[in-house]
Amino acid sequence: MISVSFGRGAGRLVSCRVSGHAGYDDFGRDIVCAAVTSAVQYTANAMTEVFGVLAEVRAGENQISIAVCGEDENGFRLLEALHLHLTLLSDEYPKTILIHISEV
């Protein structure tokens, strides 16, 4: 299962950490993993390269995290959009993505 942890501060999503595998299909054929990976990479690239948001992006084996540094509405909105997208994927493919939000 893919684990998605969003951090909320002052009523806004400020960070996201994604790890694990969906287990929907074999490695390299898992459309849920591909969709989640694409969505997270798109968000990170849009945030840092298109909108110029100051953010910390870290990628490692089976995990990636994004954290908005400072106050940037574009960064917060992009994380809200990512949350919506991943929630819809989770609804479409039950038992593959677990999403939770915690206060930071």
Side-chain angles (χ1 to χ4, degrees):
M1 181 172 286
I2 294 173
S3 175
V4 183
S5 301
F6 284 95
R8 183 182 302 280
R12 303 173 179 169
L13 294 182
V14 296
S15 64
C16 177
R17 182 176 180 278
V18 179
S19 63
H21 288 288
Y24 185 75
D25 203 342
D26 294 334
F27 182 79
R29 299 175 47 97
D30 194 319
I31 62 172
V32 178
C33 279
V36 170
T37 299
S38 178
V40 174
Q41 288 177 334
Y42 175 88
T43 301
N45 289 332
M47 195 178 288
T48 60
E49 303 304 315
V50 177
F51 289 102
V53 173
L54 183 59
E56 182 178 308
V57 179
R58 292 181 184 232
E61 185 67 31
N62 287 332
Q63 70 178 17
I64 186 167
S65 63
I66 306 168
V68 177
C69 301
E71 297 290 319
D72 194 306
E73 284 300 319
N74 287 324
F76 302 143
R77 288 182 179 140
L78 284 165
L79 287 175
E80 289 289 346
L82 179 61
H83 178 262
L84 173 60
H85 185 74
L86 296 180
T87 298
L88 294 173
L89 279 173
S90 178
D91 292 346
E92 184 72 23
Y93 298 96
K95 300 180 183 176
T96 60
I97 304 169
L98 175 64
I99 301 171
H100 67 278
I101 299 174
S102 59
E103 293 295 320
V104 292

